[in-house]
Amino acid sequence: MPTRNSRAVRLEGRGMVMAGDGEVVGQEPLPLLSSPSWTTMLTLRSSSRLHSSSSPSSVSSPLQREIGGGQRGLSASSSSSVNVPCDDRNSDQASEGNSDSLSADEGSDFEDSLRRNVKKRAAKRPLKTTPVAKQPKKGSQMVRGHSQKESKPPASYLFDAVKAAKSDMQSLVDEWLDSYKQDQDAGFLELINFFIQSCGCKGTVTREMFKKMSNSEIIQHLTEQFNEDSGDYPLTAPGPSWKKFQSSFCEFVKTLVYQCQYSLLYDGFPMDKLISLLTGLSDSQVRAFRHTSTLAAMKLMTSLVRVALQLSLHKDNNQRQYEAERNKGPGQRAPERLESLLEKRKELQEHQEEIEGMMNALFRGVFVHRYRDVLPEIRAICIEEIGSWMQSYSTSFLTDSYLKYIGWTLHDKHREVRLKCLKALKGLYSSRDLTTRLELFTSRFKDRMVSMVMDREYDVAVEAVRLLILIHKNMEGVLTDADCESIYPVVYASNRALASAAGEFLYWKLFYPECETKMTKTGGKEQRRSPCAQRTFFHLLLSFFMESKLHDHATYLVDSLWDCAGSQLKNWESLTSLLLEKDQNLGDMQESTLIEILVSSVRQASEGHPPVGRVTGRKGLTLKERKIQANDKVKLTEHLIPLLPQLLAKFSADAEKVAPLLQLLNYFDLNIYCIGRLEKHLELFLQQLQEVVVKHAEPTVLEAGAHALYLLCNPEFTFFSRVDFARSQLVDLLADRFQQELEELLQSSFLDEDEVYCLAATLKRLSAFYNAHDLTHWKLYEPCYQLLQRAVDTGEIPRQVVLPALSLIYVSILWTLTHLSGSGASQKQLLSLKGRMVAFCKLCQSCLSDMDPEIQEQAFVLLSDLLLIFSPQMIVGGRDFLRPLVFFPEATLQSELASFLMDHVFIQPGELGSGHSQEDHLQIEQLHQRRRLLAGFCKLLLYGVLEMDAASDVFKHYSRFYSDYGDIIKETLTRARQIDRSQCSQILLLSLKQLYTELLQEQGPEGLNELPAFTEMRDLARRFALSFGPQQLQNRDLVVKLHKEGIKFSLSEPPPAGSSSQPPHLAFLELLSEFSPRLFHQDKQLLLSYLEKYLQHFSQAPGQPWGPVTIYCHSLSPVESMAEASPRGYLRPKRRRLEGPARQHREDVSSSQEESLQLNSIPATPPLTSTAVKSRQPLGGLDKMEEEGASELQFTQGHPLSGTQRSRFSGPQHFWTPCNPLGPGLGNQLNRLSLMEEDEEELDIQNELSGEWQDMDKDSSPSEHRLDLLDSRELNIEVERGCSHRLPSQLSWSFRRDPVEGGKTDL
């Protein structure tokens, strides 16, 4: 075997391509064992051809003259491809002298080689046994005649017909063939122009160009005329007119070769010229030329492969006929017959050589370059077509020298290309005859195919699994146990298509062989579903689920196997027989798993949709599927109704097994109890249900039993009276037991453990049934309230009794409210209900201070729900008669709710480990419970039950607990701003004040701004500032008022008497500086003046300015940016300049999302529960975004906006301001911003500042009022005009830029 020559990789033009995933461009891929390359194929014309001329110049047509120099004028090689190694070395050694192959690796000019190798062939008559081209149909568009003008069709009739996709392609090709026979040059020009127009090029090839120009010059001329205004061309153009163009285009090329295969293809048709033109266009730097010509060349190659296959079959038939004739006796042998067969074989051999030469030219000239094109659509076309060649003509193409292209492309980075590779391999591995020739390829690329099961694209992963199924079926022993174990976990994937494919692999790997063995042993295909085979299936399913330990729920495993093993899973006879057998030898875990499989299969058959969390792309079931679903539901109901009481009786002692069995009733067609006359089984079920309820106190069992009884208590059923009687009996039993046990508990001085347990169990049963059934008739409110009052007064009632008692009273109040809401209730009834609700709220308020945390949390949840239900929302919707029930909590209750939230929600949890230990699971459950409590409190805030100022207790923990409650707090903040923007901004300031005061009390004023807690507060202030969004004009008055209140707070307390230290609250100015980028530059100067007036009441040491004041003034000064002049002691982190627009864009998007949530002042009433909290989502990226997005440079040195952007940002749809009676000008609005309140202590300050307000109004021009709010250039202009001289006299320190270091500032 000759050694592989190392070749340099050339990248030219726009078409260069990078290697796919896992492959480096320019690095030779791993070698594949070389097989003999083209021996009888992939040659142009043989030098020993009959009727050929030895002079290569004899084929020199006008289209090919001067072809060498013209092609080199375009490029020395393919201008949009990467040379790749090709195992075609043997073809280079096949002949000496006149080479009959064209190496794609040598970089030689294709047309030059074609001109040297192609020899002129003489016209030959067609074979006698083959049909000739069809005549045009009657009434066709062609007009016959001797005149060229009469017979010449329109210039673009081929393109228009293919684009319309309405005419028959065979008739269209026949018409063109008639035109070609009348005038070959004109007909061929029409075909060439058809391909040029299909590329989207407006230029055409004329006769003069055809005679005088080479291919390269023609392509260069067309490239210059190509319209590149739009990136669309026929293959990619949108719209209905281009929808079917690609399929019609491919059909035309296929029909063209089919109609020419018996005559013109070997009889003077210039196929070499067409191939040469398509090869040149495929090397073009214009994407439309390259894409369209590659598609045409590959489809042409596919059609030629079919022709070559037919020729090969004809040759084989001819050879058999010749051998049969020659083997006859001397008297029977016909010499004329032998001579005719020899002549025909010779002619077939010539035709095959011509076709092989064309295929060689297309493969070497187009495929070898384009399978690694930069455009993924082109690569996908090449891979799809080579796969079809291998399937249709496997004798020549199914070799390692061609398979390697698919193997290399498996690493492509684009989804469509990898998908085409897998589909091509599926066609090859689906045949056992072809898999024997794929052993070497499989051993080389098996690891890659197995790894593609975990592809990021689900459809690619699905095809990879299906490919491995074919490999497992047709190539036994190829996939190892390690390969299979990497596929098994996919049955639990969230995507149903992928999980279903993995389930099919699991079925064929583990279940089918054993079931097939059982079938053959019992004999007969009809006995395949015998009980023995079914038992084997379920035992294997149990073993896989329990031994793999991949998931805790068998529901997803059943859903994955449903498509391939649904008939076995729906064999409920075998499942129930396994469960009811006495000597079944099943363990406890096996029984529980088998019951879960039974319930899952019943649910899947009854509902017809996958379990929760598994994604499907389907919207609904088809008519056939709904019919199957209805039949399955009837079958499972008829089978399980008699057996369900037996199953309950056998497993009644085990709560884990009884609860799912009771859920089976959810999937029954309960009408069958009446239709099938199965009332006796209903009686047995009710008896077993009563025994289960009396025997168990677990919440899951009680809830399942109560829901099952609720399904049966439908007045429409004929058996309703029986079920209602059974329910009354059960509740009477429980109520009598509760009254008896309660009296014993209240009268006894010592609480016995057994008595406490019995009372708690009875209360749990009553609470579960009261939640699903109306038990108001039994009057359980008074004894439960008496029990809770005793617990609050004495504290002697244990927790397990108090918890169900609280739930029972809560449900009782809701049932009473339901009765009163449905009809007109009297005033007495309404006041009675409100009295009960108020009394229960007081009990819950008392429970908030209980020592047991579970009682506290339960009381908080119930109290939150009741306050929300009895809020002003209950009278909305025409229910004004319920107004007496509206309840507003007192201030003490509100404060206790807030205190509970601080003590039980905002606590630092422990660090989570790997997430698999019991402690980690416990912490996760506790976190979910805390999120539930926080969500309930936030609902009370948003729906007006609690004062909105209480939201500060939540907002101040936004930064510290961002990972745990960030989504809940952010949603609350967004909705609070939509309700009242002004109040929300004041609450944000209040949150910062509270945090600062707490830190000041703990640490003292000295060194406060250097503590880590103060850094956290700055981060929180930055997040609050970002929540305002980019609407500066809309938030202008809010931000100014926030700054004013912050300045007042920072200077509210003077420093100690006789001390030169700064005021204790002065460091709050550093937090306030985070909001400075949200200010207009006019407001910044007024705030500086406002700060100066306040600072006049404090004395400072000369030359020693206060650091917080310096930082705050620096944030308000537009002369120096914060990045250039950071005060000592506070270094702002560096930020990349390119991130500014991206951050601004993200803020615009988030702001638009906030604005899209247009809520009313009072939102709609939520569901009557506090448990519905939206799921957590990873918010790390958002955290990082918000941290990086608070730079002042974003507002002072941002990129200027274009004119359209300015109008868009400054339009009324984005910035809204209140109507001003003084005029629309910005200066008039400045007068009404109310920077100072009407306080007596500030009247003198306002009088002194009023002159400055008027000065700014006089100095302002109309153009200044319409400044672009985000244009830093205009802001800088205003800074130079009149901002620098407005610094307060006490703060007018010199800001000098260091000319050397550039980033430092001297004070």
Side-chain angles (χ1 to χ4, degrees):
M1 180 182 298
T3 59
R4 183 185 301 272
N5 297 327
S6 60
R7 291 172 288 272
V9 177
R10 294 175 295 166
L11 301 174
E12 297 179 4
R14 292 198 299 264
M16 60 183 178
V17 61
M18 298 296 103
D21 297 342
E23 185 176 352
V24 182
V25 173
Q27 182 177 357
E28 187 174 353
L30 295 177
L32 196 67
L33 288 183
S34 175
S35 63
S37 57
W38 301 79
T39 56
T40 60
M41 293 195 60
L42 298 184
T43 60
L44 291 172
R45 287 11 176 229
S46 174
S47 59
S48 60
R49 285 275 312 278
L50 296 176
H51 309 288
S52 62
S53 174
S54 60
S55 176
S57 62
S58 60
V59 299
S60 169
S61 65
L63 191 64
Q64 294 173 331
R65 293 195 185 105
E66 303 176 359
I67 204 165
Q71 185 74 3
R72 286 188 294 272
L74 265 181
S75 62
S77 64
S78 175
S79 62
S80 57
S81 66
V82 179
N83 288 339
V84 297
C86 179
D87 288 341
D88 295 322
R89 298 174 297 276
N90 295 337
S91 61
D92 297 334
Q93 302 173 358
S95 63
E96 297 179 3
N98 294 331
S99 175
D100 59 350
S101 65
L102 178 64
S103 174
D105 301 325
E106 296 176 357
S108 59
D109 188 276
F110 173 74
E111 294 183 7
D112 187 53
S113 299
L114 187 64
R115 180 176 58 82
R116 293 196 310 266
N117 292 283
V118 176
K119 299 176 177 61
K120 184 177 181 180
R121 55 185 184 273
K124 299 181 290 295
R125 57 183 176 87
L127 296 177
K128 298 178 181 180
T129 58
T130 55
V132 296
K134 294 184 178 181
Q135 298 296 330
K137 295 183 179 180
K138 187 176 181 179
S140 61
Q141 299 176 358
M142 288 296 302
V143 180
R144 294 176 175 270
H146 299 285
S147 174
Q148 182 178 353
K149 295 182 179 179
E150 294 179 358
S151 62
K152 184 177 180 180
S156 61
Y157 85 102
L158 282 179
F159 178 76
D160 295 337
V162 171
K163 177 184 176 182
K166 295 180 180 179
S167 60
D168 182 22
M169 285 298 162
Q170 185 173 346
S171 301
L172 181 64
V173 172
D174 288 342
E175 292 174 3
W176 177 82
L177 285 175
D178 290 340
S179 172
Y180 175 77
K181 291 175 182 178
Q182 294 176 9
D183 189 344
Q184 293 188 0
D185 291 341
F188 188 67
L189 278 177
E190 175 63 28
L191 184 63
I192 289 177
N193 286 321
F194 163 72
F195 287 109
I196 298 300
Q197 289 175 341
S198 299
C199 297
C201 181
K202 296 181 179 179
T204 57
V205 180
T206 62
R207 285 181 178 269
E208 291 74 12
M209 295 171 59
F210 184 72
K211 292 179 180 179
K212 299 180 181 180
M213 299 174 64
S214 64
N215 274 3
S216 58
E217 294 173 346
I218 292 175
I219 295 173
Q220 184 176 1
H221 176 75
L222 294 174
T223 303
E224 295 172 355
Q225 294 184 350
F226 198 90
N227 182 17
E228 293 183 305
D229 295 339
S230 174
D232 294 330
Y233 48 95
L235 291 183
T236 61
S241 59
W242 302 104
K243 185 177 182 180
K244 299 181 180 180
F245 178 80
Q246 181 168 347
S247 60
S248 182
F249 178 80
C250 298
E251 183 66 21
F252 175 81
V253 176
K254 175 184 175 181
T255 308
L256 177 65
V257 177
Y258 178 79
Q259 293 296 98
C260 298
Q261 64 176 327
Y262 297 117
S263 57
L264 293 180
L265 196 59
Y266 321 105
D267 217 20
F269 183 75
M271 184 61 73
D272 298 336
K273 301 177 183 178
L274 180 60
I275 294 175
S276 177
L277 177 66
L278 292 177
T279 304
L281 289 174
S282 68
D283 285 342
S284 173
Q285 295 181 1
V286 179
R287 171 179 173 175
F289 281 155
R290 205 166 65 251
H291 188 185
T292 309
S293 61
T294 302
L295 177 62
M298 292 297 98
K299 291 298 179 182
L300 182 63
M301 176 78 169
T302 302
S303 301
L304 292 176
V305 168
R306 294 192 180 96
V307 174
L309 179 61
Q310 293 296 327
L311 290 174
S312 178
L313 295 177
H314 290 324
K315 283 184 60 179
D316 294 341
N317 293 334
N318 178 270
Q319 182 65 26
R320 285 194 298 269
Q321 293 174 3
Y322 178 80
E323 294 294 337
E325 188 68 27
R326 194 178 63 174
N327 291 334
K328 292 181 180 179
Q332 299 178 351
R333 185 184 305 167
E336 297 82 3
R337 173 70 172 168
L338 289 175
E339 184 178 356
S340 174
L341 290 174
L342 284 174
E343 182 180 356
K344 183 178 180 180
R345 183 174 65 175
K346 185 176 182 180
E347 190 171 5
L348 290 173
Q349 179 66 28
E350 292 175 358
H351 290 176
Q352 188 177 24
E353 290 177 357
E354 292 183 15
I355 297 299
E356 290 173 354
M358 298 174 191
M359 292 191 299
N360 182 23
L362 286 171
F363 185 83
R364 297 294 189 86
V366 180
F367 178 87
V368 171
H369 296 286
R370 299 278 70 78
Y371 91 99
R372 294 183 66 185
D373 193 275
V374 68
L375 195 64
E377 289 86 351
I378 296 179
R379 303 200 298 272
I381 290 172
C382 294
I383 296 302
E384 183 180 13
E385 296 306 316
I386 195 175
S388 66
W389 307 339
M390 292 177 182
Q391 294 181 52
S392 59
Y393 201 2
S394 59
T395 305
S396 298
F397 286 95
L398 191 57
T399 60
D400 296 330
S401 58
Y402 297 103
L403 284 169
K404 64 184 180 183
Y405 295 111
I406 297 182
W408 291 340
T409 319
L410 285 172
H411 297 269
D412 197 278
K413 60 184 178 181
H414 286 273
R415 159 193 165 275
E416 186 65 25
V417 184
R418 299 196 302 273
L419 199 61
K420 294 295 183 182
C421 290
L422 293 173
K423 289 182 177 180
L425 291 176
K426 280 177 58 182
L428 300 177
Y429 281 100
S430 59
S431 174
R432 277 188 177 271
D433 298 334
L434 298 181
T435 53
T436 57
R437 306 167 66 178
L438 293 169
E439 294 180 356
L440 184 60
F441 174 84
T442 306
S443 63
R444 169 64 180 83
F445 294 101
K446 183 191 68 172
D447 294 341
R448 172 57 184 165
M449 290 186 285
V450 173
S451 66
M452 292 181 75
V453 174
M454 299 299 176
D455 197 283
R456 60 184 298 178
E457 303 291 342
Y458 283 123
D459 51 354
V460 177
V462 169
E463 293 297 328
V465 176
R466 291 174 179 170
L467 174 62
L468 294 174
I469 293 174
L470 294 175
I471 294 176
H472 170 70
K473 288 182 179 180
N474 298 324
M475 301 183 71
E476 298 179 358
V478 172
L479 296 178
T480 62
D481 293 339
D483 297 333
C484 297
E485 289 174 359
S486 63
I487 305 173
Y488 293 156
V490 186
V491 296
Y492 299 106
S494 60
N495 184 273
R496 192 181 187 276
L498 180 58
S500 180
E504 184 179 357
F505 179 86
L506 177 66
Y507 174 78
W508 286 103
K509 176 65 178 177
L510 295 183
F511 302 138
Y512 181 80
E514 296 295 332
C515 296
E516 186 73 17
T517 303
K518 295 293 182 181
M519 181 198 70
T520 55
K521 287 184 178 180
T522 55
K525 185 176 181 180
E526 295 180 355
Q527 298 181 2
R528 180 179 175 183
R529 296 183 183 179
S530 62
C532 184
Q534 287 295 328
R535 289 171 181 270
T536 303
F537 173 81
F538 286 115
H539 280 293
L540 290 173
L541 187 60
L542 281 174
S543 301
F544 171 78
F545 180 74
M546 297 182 64
E547 293 176 3
S548 60
K549 298 180 181 180
L550 298 172
H551 207 275
D552 296 334
H553 303 287
T555 307
Y556 298 94
L557 178 60
V558 170
D559 180 62
S560 300
L561 294 169
W562 193 256
D563 293 341
C564 58
S567 58
Q568 288 92 328
L569 291 169
K570 288 190 289 188
N571 194 326
W572 298 294
E573 293 83 0
S574 300
L575 265 172
T576 52
S577 63
L578 276 174
L579 290 171
L580 292 174
E581 280 185 358
K582 295 182 179 179
D583 52 349
Q584 56 184 335
N585 297 325
L586 291 177
D588 184 66
M589 287 297 300
Q590 290 177 324
E591 289 179 346
S592 300
T593 305
L594 204 59
I595 290 175
E596 190 176 358
I597 292 174
L598 171 64
V599 176
S600 301
S601 63
V602 168
R603 186 206 63 81
Q604 190 88 5
S606 176
E607 296 181 351
H609 59 77
V612 177
R614 181 154 282 179
V615 181
T616 58
R618 303 179 58 184
K619 296 183 179 179
L621 301 178
T622 62
L623 181 61
K624 182 179 178 181
E625 290 173 341
R626 286 196 296 269
K627 186 177 180 180
I628 294 175
Q629 175 189 355
N631 294 334
D632 290 341
K633 191 171 185 178
V634 172
K635 290 179 182 179
L636 68 91
T637 305
E638 292 177 347
H639 174 73
L640 290 175
I641 280 179
L643 298 179
L644 184 56
Q646 301 178 30
L647 293 170
L648 290 175
K650 181 176 181 179
F651 301 106
S652 60
D654 196 336
E656 294 182 358
K657 300 170 185 176
V658 169
L661 287 175
L662 290 173
Q663 295 175 4
L664 286 174
L665 211 65
N666 299 332
Y667 315 113
F668 285 2
D669 186 359
L670 298 178
N671 290 313
I672 295 181
Y673 275 112
C674 308
I675 299 173
R677 297 182 179 181
L678 302 175
E679 288 84 356
K680 62 177 182 179
H681 299 291
L682 178 61
E683 294 289 346
L684 294 175
F685 173 76
L686 293 175
Q687 293 176 7
Q688 293 297 327
L689 177 61
Q690 182 174 349
E691 293 181 6
V692 168
V693 171
V694 173
K695 187 180 296 184
H696 293 281
E698 288 79 3
T700 55
V701 177
L702 296 177
E703 290 175 4
H707 186 68
L709 191 60
Y710 171 78
L711 294 174
L712 295 173
C713 290
N714 190 346
E716 297 180 358
F717 294 146
T718 58
F719 53 81
F720 170 70
S721 58
R722 297 184 182 183
V723 179
D724 187 51
F725 179 74
R727 177 177 61 179
S728 300
Q729 281 185 328
L730 178 59
V731 177
D732 286 339
L733 175 64
L734 296 177
D736 294 342
R737 183 179 295 183
F738 169 62
Q739 293 289 351
Q740 180 181 357
E741 293 170 349
L742 179 61
E743 291 179 2
E744 294 177 357
L745 182 67
L746 295 178
Q747 293 176 3
S748 63
S749 58
F750 176 75
L751 297 180
D752 185 69
E753 293 183 1
D754 295 338
E755 295 179 356
V756 171
Y757 174 79
C758 293
L759 179 59
T762 305
L763 281 172
K764 290 178 182 178
R765 298 184 184 107
L766 286 172
S767 177
F769 276 82
Y770 210 164
N771 193 27
H773 305 267
D774 185 9
L775 306 183
T776 309
H777 175 69
W778 282 266
K779 299 179 181 180
L780 299 174
Y781 176 84
E782 287 78 6
C784 288
Y785 182 81
Q786 184 181 2
L787 177 63
L788 288 177
Q789 190 64 49
R790 172 75 176 273
V792 171
D793 294 341
T794 63
E796 298 176 355
I797 307 301
R799 170 182 55 85
Q800 56 267 32
V801 175
V802 174
L803 291 177
L806 286 171
S807 300
L808 198 146
I809 294 182
Y810 169 75
V811 177
S812 174
I813 293 175
L814 294 185
W815 275 112
T816 306
L817 177 62
T818 303
H819 290 304
L820 299 181
S821 301
S823 60
S826 63
Q827 191 76 7
K828 181 179 179 181
Q829 291 175 328
L830 295 176
L831 294 178
S832 175
L833 175 59
K834 185 173 183 180
R836 288 187 175 186
M837 189 273 298
V838 173
F840 180 67
C841 288
K842 291 181 179 179
L843 286 178
C844 292
Q845 183 177 357
S846 302
C847 292
L848 290 178
S849 58
D850 194 278
M851 296 299 294
D852 191 276
E854 292 188 18
I855 295 178
Q856 292 177 332
E857 293 178 358
Q858 179 76 352
F860 183 86
V861 170
L862 299 179
L863 194 57
S864 300
D865 282 347
L866 277 180
L867 292 177
L868 191 61
I869 294 169
F870 287 88
S871 67
Q873 296 293 316
M874 70 185 311
I875 64 175
V876 177
R879 294 180 295 180
D880 194 68
F881 64 93
L882 296 178
R883 186 176 297 275
L885 295 178
V886 176
F887 176 72
F888 293 96
E890 300 178 354
T892 55
L893 179 57
Q894 296 188 31
S895 62
E896 288 193 25
L897 289 174
S899 300
F900 174 85
L901 199 72
M902 299 303 105
D903 297 337
H904 293 79
V905 174
F906 295 109
I907 56 177
Q908 289 291 348
E911 293 293 333
L912 285 176
S914 60
H916 301 290
S917 63
Q918 190 68 24
E919 292 77 7
D920 293 340
H921 285 293
L922 180 61
Q923 289 189 22
I924 293 174
E925 291 297 329
Q926 293 174 353
L927 176 60
H928 285 308
Q929 177 64 15
R930 292 195 297 269
R931 287 173 59 86
R932 180 188 178 196
L933 299 175
L934 178 60
F937 186 82
C938 292
K939 288 180 183 179
L940 297 178
L941 293 172
L942 295 177
Y943 291 93
V945 179
L946 303 180
E947 295 293 336
M948 188 58 76
D949 291 342
S952 62
D953 294 329
V954 177
F955 293 162
K956 66 183 181 183
H957 297 97
Y958 183 35
S959 179
R960 180 178 300 178
F961 294 91
Y962 189 84
S963 59
D964 293 337
Y965 318 119
D967 54 342
I968 300 176
I969 300 177
K970 185 175 182 179
E971 184 69 16
T972 306
L973 178 59
T974 302
R975 293 180 179 268
R977 178 174 289 107
Q978 293 169 355
I979 295 172
D980 191 338
R981 303 179 66 89
S982 177
Q983 186 180 12
C984 182
S985 63
Q986 293 302 310
I987 294 173
L988 296 182
L989 182 63
L990 178 61
S991 302
L992 294 175
K993 290 180 180 179
Q994 291 176 354
L995 284 177
Y996 184 87
T997 304
E998 293 173 3
L999 184 63
L1000 184 65
Q1001 293 176 355
E1002 293 177 1
Q1003 303 295 334
E1006 298 297 331
L1008 194 67
N1009 54 359
E1010 298 177 359
L1011 297 175
F1014 190 82
T1015 305
E1016 291 183 3
M1017 281 193 287
R1018 292 207 63 164
D1019 180 69
L1020 178 63
R1022 186 180 301 113
R1023 292 179 186 271
F1024 285 167
L1026 287 173
S1027 66
F1028 282 95
Q1031 293 88 358
Q1032 281 185 291
L1033 188 59
Q1034 187 176 0
N1035 299 318
R1036 181 177 185 181
D1037 54 341
L1038 305 179
V1039 178
V1040 170
K1041 186 177 181 181
L1042 185 145
H1043 275 270
K1044 181 182 72 73
E1045 296 292 337
I1047 292 174
K1048 290 168 57 179
F1049 174 76
S1050 62
L1051 298 174
S1052 59
E1053 293 186 11
S1059 174
S1060 60
S1061 61
Q1062 63 185 23
H1065 293 167
L1066 192 64
F1068 190 80
L1069 290 176
E1070 295 190 25
L1071 306 181
L1072 207 60
S1073 64
E1074 298 292 340
F1075 297 88
S1076 297
R1078 306 293 171 178
L1079 293 167
F1080 285 99
H1081 61 280
Q1082 296 97 331
D1083 300 336
K1084 290 181 179 180
Q1085 302 311 310
L1086 293 175
L1087 286 173
L1088 284 172
S1089 302
Y1090 185 77
L1091 177 62
E1092 179 186 7
K1093 300 301 180 181
Y1094 266 94
L1095 287 175
Q1096 289 178 354
H1097 302 285
F1098 299 91
S1099 59
Q1100 304 180 52
Q1104 295 182 0
W1106 290 331
V1109 176
T1110 304
I1111 294 175
Y1112 183 64
C1113 292
H1114 213 182
S1115 69
L1116 295 179
S1117 174
V1119 179
E1120 297 286 340
S1121 66
M1122 295 297 292
E1124 296 175 349
S1126 298
R1128 295 189 182 102
Y1130 176 65
L1131 297 178
R1132 187 171 296 278
K1134 296 181 179 179
R1135 293 176 176 85
R1136 295 177 57 186
R1137 182 178 181 181
L1138 294 179
E1139 293 178 356
R1143 290 196 304 270
Q1144 184 173 351
H1145 173 70
R1146 289 195 292 266
E1147 289 184 10
D1148 293 343
V1149 172
S1150 62
S1151 175
S1152 64
Q1153 292 175 351
E1154 291 180 8
E1155 293 296 325
S1156 64
L1157 298 173
Q1158 297 295 334
L1159 299 179
N1160 297 327
S1161 59
I1162 301 179
T1165 305
L1168 302 181
T1169 177
S1170 294
T1171 61
V1173 184
K1174 68 178 183 179
S1175 58
R1176 297 183 62 195
Q1177 298 178 357
L1179 299 169
L1182 182 62
D1183 188 1
K1184 182 179 180 181
M1185 180 195 75
E1186 294 187 353
E1187 287 180 358
E1188 295 182 354
S1191 174
E1192 288 82 0
L1193 291 174
Q1194 185 175 349
F1195 299 92
T1196 58
Q1197 291 185 345
H1199 295 285
L1201 301 178
S1202 61
T1204 58
Q1205 290 173 322
R1206 293 173 186 171
S1207 61
R1208 176 163 57 88
F1209 277 102
S1210 60
Q1213 67 272 22
H1214 287 274
F1215 294 106
W1216 176 87
T1217 55
C1219 297
N1220 192 351
L1222 300 179
L1226 186 60
N1228 293 329
Q1229 292 181 8
L1230 282 174
N1231 292 329
R1232 313 301 300 171
L1233 282 179
S1234 301
L1235 285 174
M1236 299 67 170
E1237 294 180 351
E1238 299 285 341
D1239 297 337
E1240 295 182 359
E1241 59 183 3
E1242 295 181 344
L1243 289 178
D1244 53 343
I1245 300 178
Q1246 290 185 5
N1247 293 333
E1248 296 178 16
L1249 289 178
S1250 60
E1252 296 183 9
W1253 283 90
Q1254 298 296 331
D1255 293 341
M1256 288 203 62
D1257 288 347
K1258 294 178 182 179
D1259 297 339
S1260 301
S1261 62
S1263 61
E1264 294 174 349
H1265 302 335
R1266 295 187 295 269
L1267 290 175
D1268 185 358
L1269 305 181
L1270 301 178
D1271 195 337
S1272 60
R1273 295 177 299 180
E1274 297 183 0
L1275 293 178
N1276 291 335
I1277 293 174
E1278 291 300 313
V1279 167
E1280 295 175 358
R1281 286 181 181 177
C1283 295
S1284 59
H1285 67 275
R1286 292 187 181 273
L1287 287 173
S1289 58
Q1290 292 185 348
L1291 307 179
S1292 57
W1293 304 298
S1294 60
F1295 291 83
R1296 181 175 58 84
R1297 178 81 176 269
D1298 194 314
V1300 178
E1301 299 188 12
K1304 297 182 179 180
T1305 303
D1306 295 337
L1307 299 180

